[in-house]
Amino acid sequence: MKTMVLIELTKSCQKEKIANNFSKGVKNYLSHSEVQKECADKLLQIAQNYRDSIPEGSILEIGCGTGFVTQGLMKQFPKHFLDIIDISDEMLKFCEKNLQISEQQKKLIQFRQRDGETINTDSNSYSAIVSSFTIQWFQDIINSLNRLINTLQHQGLLLIAFPNDKSFPEWKKMCYELNLPFTRNELPNTIELIQKLSIPSHKIYLYEEQVSMKYKNATDFFRSLKMIGAGCNLKQDKLSNWQMKELINHWNHNCYPNKIQATYDVTFLGIQLI
């Protein structure tokens, strides 16, 4: 029993840590989130294909952040009620304040501070659930996605984008060469995720894309993650200050005189019930 309580406390502390980190990153998010913006745009392009096929009803957006996806959903699905949630209250407030919302649209949108992984969906039946760069923070991705899928209506859509476990090969290579722990957070394996989902009859859309970013040096790369809140380390393995300095120097040296590159491998996944 004590072990179970300890696990629950640990999970709760991790959630609070994630929320706090993203709340602190609000003011820097727009200027340091090029990958998130690019992938949000791609997700909205995919969403266009479903405009006429999803049923009437509410659309749930999980992890709105500063509103990259939210603004597009308002434009693409003007007749649907939008239920917009984020675990970070500061992100949610920023999103609501900075969106261009007409008086008519204000009647069709609500903002709630909620954890998408534990949101109460007992009484909800969504026409679509959309999320970009959020589900990788879930502690139990498979069960959480299964529960969300079960809230979809007939022909309802789950549309998500997330960095997968092939992300940051350059960082991983530097750690391997130095025999240091690779301290990137665990990320979903796309095929394993799909195989473990218990999905009713469905149509699936799957696309992966690599997004590479250039940084002046390794310090700038790690700083960019921290500045938007995505540098939250949830692993037990952590580098000492000396090890971190060794990693940064090695990475910089290997790329000199050029900038360093960090590559996101991003999965775009659409599941529509039939």
Side-chain angles (χ1 to χ4, degrees):
M1 181 64 69
K2 288 183 179 180
T3 302
M4 288 295 294
V5 172
L6 181 59
I7 291 173
E8 290 304 316
L9 283 173
T10 301
K11 288 183 176 179
S12 176
C13 289
Q14 284 189 345
K15 290 288 185 175
E16 185 176 352
K17 183 178 180 181
I18 293 167
N20 288 340
N21 270 268
F22 277 102
S23 290
K24 292 176 183 176
V26 169
K27 63 181 182 296
N28 301 308
Y29 201 87
L30 292 180
S31 57
H32 290 83
S33 53
E34 294 92 344
V35 173
Q36 288 79 1
K37 178 65 167 64
E38 183 175 334
C39 292
D41 290 344
K42 176 66 179 180
L43 194 70
L44 288 168
Q45 289 176 22
I46 298 169
Q48 286 269 20
N49 300 325
Y50 297 94
R51 287 183 63 178
D52 300 323
S53 65
I54 67 170
E56 296 180 358
S58 298
I59 295 176
L60 172 67
E61 184 192 357
I62 298 174
C64 65
T66 54
F68 291 151
V69 172
T70 315
Q71 192 76 63
L73 291 177
M74 290 168 53
K75 181 179 180 180
Q76 291 184 10
F77 303 95
K79 296 181 180 180
H80 290 260
F81 184 85
L82 300 181
D83 187 6
I84 310 300
I85 67 171
D86 198 288
I87 196 172
S88 163
D89 187 49
E90 292 301 316
M91 281 285 186
L92 196 72
K93 289 176 180 176
F94 185 97
C95 180
E96 182 175 7
K97 180 180 178 181
N98 289 274
L99 287 179
Q100 298 175 11
I101 309 175
S102 67
E103 289 302 316
Q104 181 64 29
Q105 286 175 319
K106 287 180 180 178
K107 302 173 184 178
L108 293 173
I109 190 168
Q110 70 174 354
F111 297 86
R112 299 189 293 158
Q113 183 189 13
R114 296 288 189 277
D115 178 0
E117 187 167 17
T118 60
I119 185 174
N120 182 1
T121 56
D122 293 342
S123 59
N124 291 314
S125 183
Y126 293 106
S127 61
I129 298 173
V130 182
S131 184
S132 185
F133 272 55
T134 298
I135 67 116
Q136 73 273 12
W137 296 104
F138 285 5
Q139 294 170 336
D140 187 351
I141 295 178
I142 303 300
N143 285 331
S144 298
L145 289 181
N146 277 331
R147 189 172 66 87
L148 290 167
I149 289 169
N150 286 333
T151 70
L152 291 172
Q153 302 177 46
H154 174 63
Q155 292 192 319
L157 171 70
L158 174 74
L159 184 59
I160 55 178
F162 57 89
N164 62 51
D165 64 345
K166 292 181 285 187
S167 294
F168 306 132
E170 303 90 352
W171 176 4
K172 185 176 183 178
K173 181 176 182 288
M174 294 302 114
C175 290
Y176 176 80
E177 290 176 356
L178 294 172
N179 196 28
L180 292 175
F182 179 39
T183 57
R184 184 210 68 193
N185 290 330
E186 294 297 329
L187 293 173
N189 177 289
T190 304
I191 301 303
E192 181 181 330
L193 183 152
I194 294 173
Q195 289 175 340
K196 288 185 176 180
L197 289 176
S198 301
I199 312 171
S201 297
H202 64 281
K203 292 187 292 187
I204 192 167
Y205 172 93
L206 177 62
Y207 174 73
E208 288 190 9
E209 182 174 295
Q210 290 188 338
V211 182
S212 295
M213 298 295 297
K214 298 285 188 179
Y215 298 88
K216 182 179 178 181
N217 51 49
T219 300
D220 278 1
F221 164 65
F222 290 115
R223 184 184 292 121
S224 72
L225 294 178
K226 184 176 181 180
M227 291 187 75
I228 64 172
C232 182
N233 188 331
L234 303 178
K235 297 186 74 172
Q236 295 298 319
D237 288 336
K238 294 184 179 180
L239 300 184
S240 66
N241 290 338
W242 180 84
Q243 288 175 318
M244 192 67 185
K245 184 176 181 179
E246 184 183 18
L247 171 60
I248 287 172
N249 288 339
H250 182 65
W251 198 345
N252 291 343
H253 177 75
N254 271 262
C255 297
Y256 183 83
N258 301 314
K259 294 181 177 181
I260 74 151
Q261 176 174 293
T263 302
Y264 290 75
D265 201 291
V266 184
T267 298
F268 299 87
L269 177 63
I271 297 173
Q272 186 171 30
L273 305 189
I274 58 175

